[in-house]
Amino acid sequence: MLDKYGIAKRIAKEVKDGYYVNLGIGIPTLVANYIPDDIHVVLQSENGLLGMGPFPSEGEEDADYINAGKQTITTLPGSAFFDSAMSFGMIRSRKVDLTILGAMEVSENGDIANWKIPGKMVKGMGGAMDLVASAQNIIVAMQHVNRQGESKLLPSCALPLTGLRCVKKIVTELGVFDIIPEGGFKIVELHEGVTLEQVRNSTKGKLID
């Protein structure tokens, strides 16, 4: 099974040359460290940055350079800073080719819940609802089960929804799964050491092998 760094590294293989990519908070931010050297992509952070680079080395952090998750980052030559209005103008006008998000739940129809657990304090929904409504392609980076061992790949989401029928692909610690148009999690690949039985036992939604 993969750890969070392995999940990010696998997702980086989905990034294509010339893409503009938004990285969500959590595991998705790690993708910046694994972009292949032979392709050119522009990473967007919704707090107002185009041209985000990998995380800085220890001792080289600059607190003025942060991503949407308030982590210190680096910038690349040609990067640009701007306000949130322009940032969300880019997102809403579908200038972002790929959005990589974390999630609490994903349904077999591609619905996503990733912003609120009822009864727990939340500062706000952030930009997730704009991103899932506007991105041309959405990949979710997530753990296959929650802390109680319950599946997060479900027939339908129980938590408040962020978006409907928008997720195209999911990468978890167990494998890579496409959400097909007629509904269901189609196995694209299983990670090394993972068995089909493990995936079946960890997936409550319709699984297609």
Side-chain angles (χ1 to χ4, degrees):
M1 294 188 291
L2 299 183
D3 60 11
K4 62 181 181 180
Y5 302 100
I7 293 173
K9 190 173 184 178
R10 174 58 185 84
I11 290 177
K13 295 180 180 179
E14 301 293 325
V15 178
K16 307 300 182 186
D17 190 59
Y19 270 13
Y20 285 82
V21 182
N22 180 282
L23 301 180
I25 296 170
I27 295 175
T29 61
L30 300 173
V31 174
N33 288 342
Y34 300 108
I35 301 296
D37 293 334
D38 59 345
I39 68 171
H40 174 73
V41 301
V42 179
L43 300 180
Q44 192 237 24
S45 185
E46 68 194 55
N47 56 319
L49 170 63
L50 272 181
M52 184 166 55
F55 285 111
S57 301
E58 187 174 354
E60 297 182 359
E61 301 92 343
D62 185 332
D64 288 330
Y65 294 170
I66 60 170
N67 61 20
K70 299 180 178 61
Q71 297 167 302
T72 53
I73 55 170
T74 62
T75 58
L76 300 175
S79 63
F81 297 90
F82 36 84
D83 61 21
S84 292
M86 181 171 288
S87 179
F88 279 92
M90 293 175 185
I91 293 167
R92 293 167 183 168
S93 59
R94 300 178 67 84
K95 303 298 185 185
V96 176
D97 299 295
L98 172 64
T99 291
I100 303 169
L101 293 171
M104 299 167 188
E105 296 176 346
V106 176
S107 81
E108 61 191 37
N109 291 322
D111 302 341
I112 180 173
N114 80 338
W115 74 279
K116 181 177 177 64
I117 297 176
K120 293 192 175 183
M121 187 181 74
V122 61
K123 294 180 180 179
M125 65 188 69
M129 291 188 179
D130 291 271
L131 287 163
V132 299
S134 306
Q136 298 184 45
N137 188 14
I138 297 170
I139 297 177
V140 166
M142 66 187 293
Q143 298 296 318
H144 210 100
V145 298
N146 61 24
R147 293 178 181 176
Q148 290 73 45
E150 301 165 333
S151 177
K152 296 167 66 174
L153 279 64
L154 304 169
S156 60
C157 295
L159 296 174
L161 292 178
T162 309
L164 295 169
R165 295 181 177 271
C166 54
V167 177
K168 301 295 191 296
K169 189 183 294 287
I170 304 168
V171 181
T172 76
E173 75 276 19
L174 299 181
V176 181
F177 308 87
D178 282 341
I179 294 181
I180 59 175
E182 57 268 33
F185 302 103
K186 181 173 177 56
I187 299 173
V188 176
E189 63 186 67
L190 300 182
H191 302 316
E192 184 177 355
V194 174
T195 67
L196 182 57
E197 183 179 9
Q198 279 180 285
V199 176
R200 284 177 175 157
N201 292 338
S202 300
T203 307
K204 193 171 182 180
K206 181 167 65 175
L207 189 67
I208 302 165
D209 54 25

